[in-house]
Amino acid sequence: MLPLRVYAIDGIVPVVDPTAFVHPSAVLIGDVIVGPGCYVGPTACLRGDFGRLILERGANLQDSCVMHGFPGTDTVVEEDGHIGHGAVLHGCRIGRNALVGMNAVIMDNAVIGESAIVAACAFVKAGIEIPPRMLAAGMPAKVVRALTDEEIAWKVDGTRTYQDLARRSLATMHETAPLAAVEPGRKRIELPDVVPLVELKKR
């Protein structure tokens, strides 16, 4: 296992379940709890130096995401929550199986309902609640429509892919030196069932 950047503060030490994968460039400070089967991507920052930060079972927090909250608060990503690249979560609750898109910002006391999706680059104002199974988008974010069963199934599959990535990373990722040239017949990472939603809708 690669060494992690984990820091105690005021005697409080982050907790990482042994089945979770936290990339060694991520930073965990203080009151952070990473549950079983979670994935935390490169350069993510979980600053539990004020409030408590919780990733529940099977959640993922992708590259360059930030989690933080005011003193006395919990910032929570519930089971199977899916947080896209560069998102910011501050003192909010992300419901079970919900998805927060890339570069979205979720503010204090906001609640994202179960199996809801917040679109990329959306800004969810403090105290707003997005109901379950709804799509929210915009700046500020507003509920756009109900999600289809196909869209929710696509989200579930995407989260399973990240849960598998946690297992793959624990089993095979290691620091190494780069090759000087592309080797003949260079293999690809094969994940044929993983497609963008826009492509799935064309089928």
Side-chain angles (χ1 to χ4, degrees):
M1 180 66 180
L2 297 168
L4 302 180
R5 298 169 73 186
V6 176
Y7 302 90
I9 188 168
D10 296 335
I12 299 175
V13 179
V15 177
V16 177
D17 187 275
T19 63
F21 176 79
V22 177
H23 191 275
S25 66
V27 177
L28 279 58
I29 300 170
D31 198 359
V32 176
I33 301 168
V34 178
C38 290
Y39 174 88
V40 177
T43 71
C45 179
L46 293 85
R47 263 187 58 209
D49 48 13
F50 288 172
R52 177 168 292 174
L53 312 180
I54 302 168
L55 295 179
E56 293 185 357
R57 178 182 296 273
N60 68 76
L61 187 80
Q62 297 172 22
D63 325 51
S64 301
C65 288
V66 174
M67 285 184 76
H68 194 241
F70 284 108
T73 66
D74 289 356
T75 303
V76 181
V77 181
E78 293 182 12
E79 185 173 348
D80 296 334
H82 190 110
I83 313 301
H85 317 289
V88 177
L89 309 180
H90 202 280
C92 56
R93 176 172 286 269
I94 310 303
R96 185 181 180 279
N97 195 47
L99 182 151
V100 174
M102 295 180 275
N103 291 312
V105 176
I106 317 295
M107 292 299 295
D108 301 277
N109 298 320
V111 177
I112 310 304
E114 181 173 346
S115 298
I117 293 179
V118 176
C121 297
F123 177 78
V124 177
K125 294 193 298 186
I128 296 296
E129 184 166 347
I130 306 300
R133 296 177 64 95
M134 291 290 174
L135 172 65
M139 300 178 70
K142 293 181 171 53
V143 173
V144 175
R145 60 172 173 82
L147 292 163
T148 66
D149 290 341
E150 178 187 48
E151 288 167 331
I152 293 174
W154 171 83
K155 184 272 162 198
V156 169
D157 287 344
T159 300
R160 285 192 189 121
T161 300
Y162 267 90
Q163 292 164 350
D164 183 57
L165 178 59
R167 291 187 288 268
R168 289 169 51 213
S169 298
L170 286 170
T172 71
M173 186 181 289
H174 59 92
E175 194 166 3
T176 187
L179 301 175
V182 177
E183 63 271 51
R186 181 179 176 87
K187 74 174 187 177
R188 291 181 177 270
I189 293 174
E190 299 288 347
L191 298 170
D193 296 329
V194 180
V195 295
L197 184 58
V198 67
E199 294 296 327
L200 184 65
K201 287 185 172 186
K202 290 178 184 176
R203 297 180 176 179

mmCIF file of all heavy atoms in Angstrom, residues 147-164:
data_model
loop_
_atom_site.group_PDB
_atom_site.id
_atom_site.type_symbol
_atom_site.label_atom_id
_atom_site.label_comp_id
_atom_site.label_asym_id
_atom_site.label_seq_id
_atom_site.Cartn_x
_atom_site.Cartn_y
_atom_site.Cartn_z
ATOM 1 N N LEU A 147 -35.710 12.244 -12.967
ATOM 2 C CA LEU A 147 -34.787 11.373 -13.685
ATOM 3 C C LEU A 147 -35.514 10.137 -14.195
ATOM 4 O O LEU A 147 -36.457 9.654 -13.567
ATOM 5 C CB LEU A 147 -33.641 10.956 -12.761
ATOM 6 C CG LEU A 147 -32.685 12.078 -12.356
ATOM 7 C CD1 LEU A 147 -31.867 11.659 -11.151
ATOM 8 C CD2 LEU A 147 -31.781 12.477 -13.518
ATOM 9 N N THR A 148 -35.047 9.625 -15.318
ATOM 10 C CA THR A 148 -35.612 8.387 -15.849
ATOM 11 C C THR A 148 -34.961 7.188 -15.167
ATOM 12 O O THR A 148 -33.869 7.289 -14.583
ATOM 13 C CB THR A 148 -35.373 8.287 -17.360
ATOM 14 O OG1 THR A 148 -33.955 8.164 -17.596
ATOM 15 C CG2 THR A 148 -35.913 9.510 -18.098
ATOM 16 N N ASP A 149 -35.625 6.045 -15.265
ATOM 17 C CA ASP A 149 -35.031 4.817 -14.738
ATOM 18 C C ASP A 149 -33.717 4.517 -15.431
ATOM 19 O O ASP A 149 -32.768 4.026 -14.795
ATOM 20 C CB ASP A 149 -35.999 3.649 -14.928
ATOM 21 C CG ASP A 149 -37.228 3.754 -14.031
ATOM 22 O OD1 ASP A 149 -37.189 4.502 -13.031
ATOM 23 O OD2 ASP A 149 -38.224 3.076 -14.326
ATOM 24 N N GLU A 150 -33.629 4.823 -16.724
ATOM 25 C CA GLU A 150 -32.390 4.586 -17.468
ATOM 26 C C GLU A 150 -31.245 5.427 -16.913
ATOM 27 O O GLU A 150 -30.122 4.940 -16.743
ATOM 28 C CB GLU A 150 -32.598 4.924 -18.952
ATOM 29 C CG GLU A 150 -31.339 4.751 -19.803
ATOM 30 C CD GLU A 150 -31.530 5.246 -21.227
ATOM 31 O OE1 GLU A 150 -32.044 6.368 -21.418
ATOM 32 O OE2 GLU A 150 -31.143 4.510 -22.145
ATOM 33 N N GLU A 151 -31.517 6.692 -16.591
ATOM 34 C CA GLU A 151 -30.480 7.568 -16.055
ATOM 35 C C GLU A 151 -30.020 7.104 -14.675
ATOM 36 O O GLU A 151 -28.812 7.125 -14.383
ATOM 37 C CB GLU A 151 -31.006 9.003 -15.991
ATOM 38 C CG GLU A 151 -31.131 9.633 -17.362
ATOM 39 C CD GLU A 151 -31.941 10.917 -17.352
ATOM 40 O OE1 GLU A 151 -32.850 11.072 -16.496
ATOM 41 O OE2 GLU A 151 -31.681 11.771 -18.215
ATOM 42 N N ILE A 152 -30.941 6.673 -13.847
ATOM 43 C CA ILE A 152 -30.553 6.195 -12.519
ATOM 44 C C ILE A 152 -29.763 4.897 -12.625
ATOM 45 O O ILE A 152 -28.762 4.701 -11.913
ATOM 46 C CB ILE A 152 -31.794 6.049 -11.618
ATOM 47 C CG1 ILE A 152 -32.373 7.440 -11.331
ATOM 48 C CG2 ILE A 152 -31.442 5.328 -10.319
ATOM 49 C CD1 ILE A 152 -33.677 7.442 -10.576
ATOM 50 N N ALA A 153 -30.167 4.016 -13.535
ATOM 51 C CA ALA A 153 -29.408 2.773 -13.742
ATOM 52 C C ALA A 153 -27.993 3.069 -14.227
ATOM 53 O O ALA A 153 -27.024 2.418 -13.806
ATOM 54 C CB ALA A 153 -30.135 1.874 -14.731
ATOM 55 N N TRP A 154 -27.855 4.077 -15.115
ATOM 56 C CA TRP A 154 -26.529 4.483 -15.601
ATOM 57 C C TRP A 154 -25.664 4.978 -14.450
ATOM 58 O O TRP A 154 -24.484 4.644 -14.345
ATOM 59 C CB TRP A 154 -26.680 5.571 -16.663
ATOM 60 C CG TRP A 154 -25.398 6.205 -17.071
ATOM 61 C CD1 TRP A 154 -24.495 5.736 -17.992
ATOM 62 C CD2 TRP A 154 -24.846 7.435 -16.577
ATOM 63 N NE1 TRP A 154 -23.421 6.602 -18.090
ATOM 64 C CE2 TRP A 154 -23.621 7.650 -17.228
ATOM 65 C CE3 TRP A 154 -25.287 8.382 -15.640
ATOM 66 C CZ2 TRP A 154 -22.820 8.766 -16.993
ATOM 67 C CZ3 TRP A 154 -24.490 9.494 -15.387
ATOM 68 C CH2 TRP A 154 -23.284 9.670 -16.059
ATOM 69 N N LYS A 155 -26.270 5.759 -13.542
ATOM 70 C CA LYS A 155 -25.530 6.253 -12.387
ATOM 71 C C LYS A 155 -25.072 5.103 -11.504
ATOM 72 O O LYS A 155 -23.930 5.058 -11.048
ATOM 73 C CB LYS A 155 -26.408 7.238 -11.596
ATOM 74 C CG LYS A 155 -25.687 7.895 -10.417
ATOM 75 C CD LYS A 155 -25.803 7.052 -9.180
ATOM 76 C CE LYS A 155 -24.751 7.474 -8.177
ATOM 77 N NZ LYS A 155 -24.518 6.453 -7.149
ATOM 78 N N VAL A 156 -25.963 4.147 -11.243
ATOM 79 C CA VAL A 156 -25.618 2.984 -10.412
ATOM 80 C C VAL A 156 -24.436 2.231 -11.019
ATOM 81 O O VAL A 156 -23.482 1.861 -10.315
ATOM 82 C CB VAL A 156 -26.838 2.054 -10.244
ATOM 83 C CG1 VAL A 156 -26.428 0.720 -9.627
ATOM 84 C CG2 VAL A 156 -27.897 2.733 -9.376
ATOM 85 N N ASP A 157 -24.476 2.016 -12.333
ATOM 86 C CA ASP A 157 -23.377 1.318 -13.010
ATOM 87 C C ASP A 157 -22.074 2.099 -12.887
ATOM 88 O O ASP A 157 -21.004 1.518 -12.675
ATOM 89 C CB ASP A 157 -23.709 1.091 -14.487
ATOM 90 C CG ASP A 157 -24.762 0.008 -14.695
ATOM 91 O OD1 ASP A 157 -25.003 -0.773 -13.744
ATOM 92 O OD2 ASP A 157 -25.338 -0.052 -15.795
ATOM 93 N N GLY A 158 -22.144 3.434 -13.035
ATOM 94 C CA GLY A 158 -20.938 4.260 -12.908
ATOM 95 C C GLY A 158 -20.316 4.174 -11.531
ATOM 96 O O GLY A 158 -19.091 4.115 -11.378
ATOM 97 N N THR A 159 -21.158 4.143 -10.511
ATOM 98 C CA THR A 159 -20.648 4.033 -9.143
ATOM 99 C C THR A 159 -20.018 2.662 -8.908
ATOM 100 O O THR A 159 -18.974 2.554 -8.252
ATOM 101 C CB THR A 159 -21.769 4.305 -8.136
ATOM 102 O OG1 THR A 159 -22.265 5.636 -8.360
ATOM 103 C CG2 THR A 159 -21.275 4.191 -6.707
ATOM 104 N N ARG A 160 -20.633 1.621 -9.467
ATOM 105 C CA ARG A 160 -20.016 0.290 -9.354
ATOM 106 C C ARG A 160 -18.636 0.284 -10.012
ATOM 107 O O ARG A 160 -17.712 -0.388 -9.538
ATOM 108 C CB ARG A 160 -20.913 -0.755 -10.020
ATOM 109 C CG ARG A 160 -22.140 -1.112 -9.209
ATOM 110 C CD ARG A 160 -22.821 -2.347 -9.763
ATOM 111 N NE ARG A 160 -24.101 -2.560 -9.121
ATOM 112 C CZ ARG A 160 -25.277 -2.608 -9.748
ATOM 113 N NH1 ARG A 160 -25.332 -2.460 -11.065
ATOM 114 N NH2 ARG A 160 -26.394 -2.795 -9.083
ATOM 115 N N THR A 161 -18.475 1.012 -11.097
ATOM 116 C CA THR A 161 -17.178 1.102 -11.765
ATOM 117 C C THR A 161 -16.133 1.711 -10.830
ATOM 118 O O THR A 161 -14.983 1.265 -10.792
ATOM 119 C CB THR A 161 -17.294 1.936 -13.056
ATOM 120 O OG1 THR A 161 -18.237 1.316 -13.923
ATOM 121 C CG2 THR A 161 -15.960 2.044 -13.765
ATOM 122 N N TYR A 162 -16.529 2.722 -10.055
ATOM 123 C CA TYR A 162 -15.587 3.330 -9.112
ATOM 124 C C TYR A 162 -15.326 2.417 -7.914
ATOM 125 O O TYR A 162 -14.221 2.405 -7.358
ATOM 126 C CB TYR A 162 -16.079 4.708 -8.664
ATOM 127 C CG TYR A 162 -15.499 5.791 -9.544
ATOM 128 C CD1 TYR A 162 -16.158 6.200 -10.690
ATOM 129 C CD2 TYR A 162 -14.274 6.368 -9.252
ATOM 130 C CE1 TYR A 162 -15.620 7.165 -11.521
ATOM 131 C CE2 TYR A 162 -13.719 7.333 -10.073
ATOM 132 C CZ TYR A 162 -14.399 7.725 -11.204
ATOM 133 O OH TYR A 162 -13.849 8.673 -12.028
ATOM 134 N N GLN A 163 -16.319 1.650 -7.503
ATOM 135 C CA GLN A 163 -16.071 0.671 -6.438
ATOM 136 C C GLN A 163 -15.087 -0.389 -6.910
ATOM 137 O O GLN A 163 -14.193 -0.811 -6.157
ATOM 138 C CB GLN A 163 -17.400 0.057 -5.999
ATOM 139 C CG GLN A 163 -18.288 1.064 -5.285
ATOM 140 C CD GLN A 163 -19.730 0.647 -5.173
ATOM 141 O OE1 GLN A 163 -20.166 -0.337 -5.779
ATOM 142 N NE2 GLN A 163 -20.517 1.383 -4.393
ATOM 143 N N ASP A 164 -15.220 -0.782 -8.172
ATOM 144 C CA ASP A 164 -14.257 -1.717 -8.758
ATOM 145 C C ASP A 164 -12.880 -1.063 -8.876
ATOM 146 O O ASP A 164 -11.858 -1.718 -8.664
ATOM 147 C CB ASP A 164 -14.744 -2.196 -10.124
ATOM 148 C CG ASP A 164 -13.813 -3.231 -10.733
ATOM 149 O OD1 ASP A 164 -13.582 -4.272 -10.083
ATOM 150 O OD2 ASP A 164 -13.300 -2.994 -11.850
#
